[in-house]
Structures are given as structure tokens and as C-alpha cells.
Amino acid sequence: MSYFSYVTENAGPRILAIDPLGRFVYTANWESNSISGYRVDLRSGRLTEVPGSPFSVGRHPRAVTIDPAGRFVYTANWSSDDVSAFRIDAVTGSLSPLQGAPYAVGKHPRSVRLSPNGRFAFVSNRESNSISGFTFDEFTGALVGMSRKAVPAGLRPRSAMVDPNGRFVYAPHQNSDSVSAYRIEHETGTLISIDGSPFRAGKDPRFLTVHPNGAFAYVPNQDSDDVWGYRINPISGALSVLSGSPFPVGRCPFEIVIDPAGRFAYVANQKSDTISAFRIDQASGALHPVSGSPFRAGRYPIFPTVDPAGRFLFVNNRESHSVSAYAIALSTGALEEIAGSPFLTGRHPRDPVVHPSGQFLYLVNEASDSISAFRIDERSGMLTPIKGSPFPTGRIQGCA
């Protein structure tokens, strides 16, 4: 599985997803109970709606996920407590509902996560405090419920993250300040609680990011303004707190992203309007602030993302309706804001995703029901709006 695919599928629940080959873009439209689909012009980055779009799903789709091979699309439907599933037409990008879908899950599902080998799928259910597990049929795309349909988690699991090796699942709990850890049974995909789970975290953990080498995990905690770091036991999957953890950051950190080489980590601090930047000690996993950190962003930055080459970082600024862009110093990890940054988007942008080619950036605008699209200058990282941007979607506003 490519780094690009792993990162986009294992960040927080996303409203926008790009297929691994970069041919199609799909958005989950919360208010209109649908998915919008677009064909990507690989030369210009322009989006053209695919035939039949938008496609009906369950009530209030919370996130959209594409399988590692780019053949199927899934949405976690918050208010109908199920998962919709579709086959992607490889030529047109149009979606056809899978037989047997939608699939029943727990109450208020937030995301669908696929294991890197594409064999299993896991759904975090926030209000029933559980994780639903499925076997993934790689030929039909069907999700087949396991004999143990759901395993208990802590209070309000926000997401279920699968490690890069596909052996472990981790679920931070928003209301119990902890992380549940599970081993994936190799043959069946059944989740088995790891000894010592749940593991302590800071106050109000939302998302967990695993280092690309699978050895470390990091959890930003919104109410304690820090990041907890863990070493992952390669045999058991158990978490042990890193020396020096927790690592202080700005106010209300939301999500952490790691560059493709695994050398640097970046945290978006919503209420201090900054990005905290760290060098990752490759032996210990400890986070060391880089010179100049924290770096200024716009108002209420949420989702940082790094391009596939690890040269540029982008973050959406929800309240200033823009995206900030930075060049990453490859020797130190320091950020230098790119000329012209921040770049204007629609209202309340979120979920910046870089195209697999590294040439384009897409963001959904939650309050203006559109996608902002930019070309990324390969030398400077400067963003130029793509002709036709913003592209209309279904109604997104109100996503929980």
C-alpha cells in the first residue's frame, strides 16, 4: 500500500477522498445524504462530475473511504447507523450500489477503516462505544460481518486506526481519555483486546497517527494541549509511553501528520492558530521542537497534510476561509510560509488532500458546499486556483 493511500485512509474521518490512481474524487454530502463523484483531468486538475452523481446513501454520511485498489467506495452514515457501499466504474467513475448494502453497524458510525492488505474493514461507532468488524471481499467489495460483530471500546471512540502493517487497531476515546488497542486475528480479522488496554492518554484525545515504520504512535489531546507518544510493541501491539511524553503543543491540538520519510511531525493547534513542528528521534520516537516552532497559521487550523514528496505542508484555516502553505526545510523540518499564503477557499474549508501526483490540492468547503481546487507549483509550492474552482457539491454543512 502506498504512503499516500495509507495516510489519507488513516487520518481522521474525511469528507473527501481521492482514489489511489488519482482518477476520481468523491465527497460525502452530510445534509443531502449523498456522495458526489468527479473525474480528475490529470493534466489540469479540473473536476468534472461523473455520470449519475450525486449518489444516494444513508442518512448523514460522515466520511468516505476508498479501498486500496481503488475499486470500491464506502460511507459511514451517522444517522442511519449503517455503511453504504459502491463499485467504482473504472472508466467513468460512476458508482453502482453493492448487493447486500447498506451494512448495519453500531450507533453513530464515524469512519470506515480498511486494513492495508484490503482484507478487513473496521467501523468506529461513537454512541454505542464499539468497533464493528467486517471481512472485505476483494472481488465483490462486500463487507461480511464477523461472528463477533462488534467489540467494546471506551466512551465515544472517534476513529479506529489500523497500523501500516495491518496487525493492530487503535481507537482513541474522546470521553474516557484513553486508547483501546486490539490485535487483528490474521485469518478471521477478529479484534482481540491487547493486554493492558485501554492505555492512558491526555484529555480529550481525538485521533491517533502511527509512524510510517509502525514503531511509534502519537495522539493529540484537545483539552490538555499536548501530544502523547507511545512505542508500539512489535509482537503484542501494546503501547508504552515514550520518554518525555506528553509533548507540549499549542491550544486545542486537533490532528498530527508525519512526513513520508518519518522524520518530522506537525500538529495543527486550533485555538492558537499555529502549527507545532517536531523532529522525530528515529531510535526513541521522542518529539523535539524544531527551531522557530510554533509557526503561524490562519484562524482555526485543523487538518495538516504533507505532499507525497515531503516538500510542502498545507493546512486548512476553518475560520479565515483559507489554506496556508509552507515549504518544509528537508534538513530541519522547519516551515517557511510560501509567497501568497494563505490562499482563499470557500467558507469553512476542511480535509485538504493532495493528489497522488503531488500536482493538485483539493479541499471541501463545508459552509459553501463546494470543492476548492489548486495547482501546486512543483518548485515553490505556491497554489494557483484551477479553472472552474470552486466546484459545487451536495449539501455538506452540519457534519458532526
Side-chain angles (χ1 to χ4, degrees):
M1 192 175 192
S2 70
Y3 174 83
F4 171 83
S5 182
Y6 174 74
V7 167
T8 55
E9 294 305 326
N10 286 273
R14 298 297 195 190
I15 291 177
L16 181 148
I18 305 176
D19 85 290
L21 297 179
R23 302 164 301 170
F24 309 114
V25 169
Y26 299 95
T27 64
N29 304 315
W30 171 270
E31 285 294 338
S32 53
N33 303 323
S34 65
I35 301 177
S36 293
Y38 307 84
R39 171 182 285 278
V40 179
D41 185 307
L42 298 180
R43 290 179 296 179
S44 69
R46 186 167 183 169
L47 302 181
T48 303
E49 203 158 9
V50 304
S53 177
F55 305 93
S56 295
V57 296
R59 291 177 55 214
H60 295 154
R62 179 61 186 77
V64 59
T65 298
I66 301 174
D67 78 296
R71 299 175 59 206
F72 307 103
V73 172
Y74 304 88
T75 62
N77 303 313
W78 176 266
S79 296
S80 52
D81 301 332
D82 56 21
V83 171
S84 296
F86 301 86
R87 179 184 295 276
I88 302 173
D89 185 293
V91 176
T92 68
S94 186
L95 301 181
S96 302
L98 297 186
Q99 186 174 1
Y103 307 101
V105 292
K107 189 170 180 59
H108 289 177
R110 284 187 59 85
S111 63
V112 181
R113 291 284 178 257
L114 295 170
S115 60
N117 61 12
R119 294 182 60 200
F120 308 113
F122 304 99
V123 179
S124 56
N125 306 303
R126 199 178 78 166
E127 296 305 319
S128 53
N129 303 320
S130 64
I131 298 174
S132 299
F134 297 88
T135 299
F136 172 75
D137 187 311
E138 63 179 320
F139 298 106
T140 68
L143 301 183
V144 180
M146 297 175 184
S147 56
R148 189 183 183 190
K149 293 185 178 180
V151 296
L155 298 177
R156 291 198 167 190
R158 293 275 298 193
S159 54
M161 302 302 188
V162 184
D163 82 301
N165 300 313
R167 300 177 58 211
F168 309 116
V169 170
Y170 299 98
H173 308 131
Q174 180 180 349
N175 284 20
S176 54
D177 301 337
S178 61
V179 176
S180 285
Y182 308 88
R183 176 174 61 84
I184 302 173
E185 206 286 319
H186 177 71
E187 293 299 326
T188 66
T190 300
L191 294 183
I192 301 170
S193 184
I194 291 171
D195 287 347
S197 178
F199 298 92
R200 183 185 171 199
K203 295 183 66 177
D204 195 2
R206 299 296 181 100
F207 303 111
L208 178 147
T209 297
V210 179
H211 191 280
N213 68 12
F216 310 112
Y218 303 93
V219 177
N221 303 284
Q222 288 202 134
D223 289 347
S224 52
D225 300 334
D226 56 25
V227 171
W228 281 54
Y230 306 87
R231 181 180 294 276
I232 299 175
N233 184 300
I235 305 300
S236 69
L239 302 178
S240 56
V241 178
L242 297 179
S243 176
S245 177
F247 306 99
V249 291
R251 293 177 57 214
C252 201
F254 193 74
E255 193 165 57
I256 183 170
V257 67
I258 298 173
D259 79 304
R263 299 173 61 209
F264 308 115
Y266 302 94
V267 181
N269 305 304
Q270 298 173 97
K271 292 186 179 179
S272 54
D273 301 335
T274 58
I275 303 293
S276 294
F278 299 91
R279 176 181 60 83
I280 302 173
D281 186 294
Q282 299 300 296
S284 70
L287 301 181
H288 301 282
V290 307
S291 178
S293 178
F295 298 92
R296 185 187 66 177
R299 290 177 54 206
Y300 222 77
I302 303 180
F303 296 101
T305 191
V306 177
D307 78 304
R311 299 178 57 213
F312 307 116
L313 181 141
F314 306 98
V315 65
N316 64 305
N317 304 306
R318 187 179 189 276
E319 296 303 322
S320 50
H321 316 302
S322 64
V323 54
S324 292
Y326 307 86
I328 298 173
L330 299 183
S331 59
T332 67
L335 300 180
E336 180 180 355
E337 194 161 14
I338 289 167
S341 175
F343 301 91
L344 292 179
T345 62
R347 295 180 58 227
H348 294 173
R350 59 176 295 161
D351 298 1
V353 179
V354 179
H355 190 270
S357 68
Q359 297 182 75
F360 314 118
L361 177 72
Y362 301 96
L363 307 89
V364 289
N365 301 306
E366 191 174 5
S368 51
D369 300 330
S370 62
I371 298 174
S372 289
F374 298 89
R375 176 179 289 277
I376 303 170
D377 185 279
E378 64 179 353
R379 293 186 178 180
S380 70
M382 182 179 291
L383 300 180
T384 303
I386 289 170
K387 184 177 180 181
S389 177
F391 301 94
T393 65
R395 293 187 60 200
I396 297 172
Q397 190 170 14
C399 190

